[in-house]
Amino acid sequence: MVIIMRRYRYRQRRYRGWSNSKPSKVSVLVNLIGHNALNMIIQRFYKSSPEELDLMLRLYGAEHGESAKKYARTSIGKWKSGTVKISGQTQDRLVRLIPACLNTDERYVIAKEICTYHLNQKYKKTVNISINTEEPTNGLNALSTAIQGFYEADDIVELPERLTKAITWLADDDVTIARSILAQVEEEEAKLIESKAYEEVDAIESLLKKDEIDHLNQRIEFPNGYIQISTFTPRKPFIQRILASLFGD
């Protein structure tokens, strides 16, 4: 009996999308401005008045052609209802167009959302403060210094290049406007942090003065990190504790 051996050759196959794939336009947008800001811009497009919509579509057609403009006009209702999924390319086009049609306040709200997104991507610093309940002055002073370090920190003032790029895009590539928007966001953020933090300090100081707490463990949250606060009461020397147990404090 003759056995015929067949030789099989393995052919390596390449599957589309499994390797060397480029990120989608939506993922690029999300990486630049975040999900919330992207959604805010698209929803703003859906809620445009007829006059605003005419302006946006006129600019859209001038940039991408009359057929793209007609397709967008006939598809808005379907995109909004979800019966047709809006493509990444269309979202990319819209988010590059719509800010030019928004007023300063609307741009600012979106810019603030973008700043929040980028700030949340960064490493958040933490500070631990221990306060002696019997002598709280040093601890409270350290807490005030720590708070000041959060709202005057370089990581609030010196924003990353990617964020600057995102805001410059939002300001229609006008760097001066972009810097102005960022400065306004930073100033507002710093004031909110300062106000909230010192309210916490006042409350803690009031409790310490009234001797109403045995132990406190509290966290003050900031956009760029948090301060963990705890109190402690020093243990009295052994002889003093014996005398106190015999004769009272």
Side-chain angles (χ1 to χ4, degrees):
M1 182 174 65
V2 178
I3 299 176
I4 300 174
M5 301 292 292
R6 293 184 180 179
R7 182 177 294 175
Y8 291 92
R9 291 185 178 179
Y10 172 73
R11 180 180 297 174
Q12 186 176 8
R13 296 183 180 181
R14 295 178 67 86
Y15 292 89
R16 184 179 300 173
W18 284 23
S19 63
N20 298 327
S21 59
K22 294 182 179 179
S24 68
K25 287 187 178 292
V26 171
S27 66
V28 171
L29 279 172
V30 169
N31 186 52
L32 181 66
I33 64 175
H35 276 290
N36 289 346
L38 174 57
N39 186 58
M40 287 168 68
I41 294 169
I42 298 301
Q43 292 301 319
R44 178 61 178 82
F45 173 67
Y46 293 154
K47 295 175 182 177
S48 300
S49 67
E51 294 78 16
E52 289 173 332
L53 189 58
D54 284 341
L55 171 61
M56 291 178 184
L57 291 177
R58 189 164 64 249
L59 294 173
Y60 190 86
E63 183 72 23
H64 303 291
E66 198 62 26
S67 60
K69 171 185 172 181
K70 289 179 180 178
Y71 174 72
R73 184 178 287 279
T74 57
S75 301
I76 292 172
K78 298 174 183 177
W79 291 337
K80 185 176 181 179
S81 66
T83 54
V84 173
K85 185 178 180 180
I86 184 170
S87 71
Q89 175 179 269
T90 302
Q91 290 185 70
D92 181 66
R93 290 175 174 181
L94 289 175
V95 297
R96 294 178 188 279
L97 160 74
I98 292 171
C101 305
L102 304 181
N103 61 42
T104 303
D105 290 341
E106 289 176 312
R107 289 190 188 194
Y108 174 73
V109 171
I110 296 172
K112 187 174 180 181
E113 185 58 46
I114 294 172
C115 287
T116 301
Y117 163 72
H118 279 273
L119 205 52
N120 286 335
Q121 307 307 305
K122 296 185 67 178
Y123 167 77
K124 296 195 174 186
K125 64 178 182 178
T126 62
V127 176
N128 294 295
I129 300 291
S130 261
I131 301 175
N132 184 339
T133 56
E134 294 188 351
E135 297 179 358
T137 303
N138 289 341
L140 290 171
N141 288 340
L143 178 56
S144 296
T145 300
I147 290 170
Q148 188 174 1
F150 272 87
Y151 70 82
E152 291 184 354
D154 290 340
D155 57 356
I156 290 181
V157 178
E158 296 179 6
L159 294 161
E161 181 181 350
R162 196 156 56 97
L163 174 53
T164 305
K165 179 182 176 184
I167 303 298
T168 304
W169 154 79
L170 184 68
D172 201 20
D173 292 329
D174 189 320
V175 177
T176 303
I177 294 176
R179 289 292 182 187
S180 175
I181 291 173
L182 285 174
Q184 188 177 353
V185 171
E186 291 163 8
E187 183 180 0
E188 182 179 294
E189 194 67 48
K191 287 180 179 177
L192 287 173
I193 292 171
E194 183 182 14
S195 174
K196 175 187 174 184
Y198 282 113
E199 283 178 7
E200 297 278 1
V201 173
D202 288 343
I204 292 168
E205 191 170 359
S206 177
L207 287 173
L208 290 171
K209 286 179 178 178
K210 294 178 182 178
D211 294 327
E212 292 182 359
I213 54 172
D214 294 323
H215 183 71
L216 179 143
N217 197 343
Q218 188 167 338
R219 176 180 292 189
I220 300 179
E221 295 282 354
F222 299 90
N224 52 338
Y226 67 86
I227 299 176
Q228 186 69 42
I229 307 163
S230 61
T231 59
F232 69 95
T233 302
R235 195 175 186 186
K236 296 177 181 179
F238 178 73
I239 295 299
Q240 191 173 347
R241 282 185 282 130
I242 292 296
L243 292 174
S245 66
L246 293 173
F247 305 107
D249 291 336

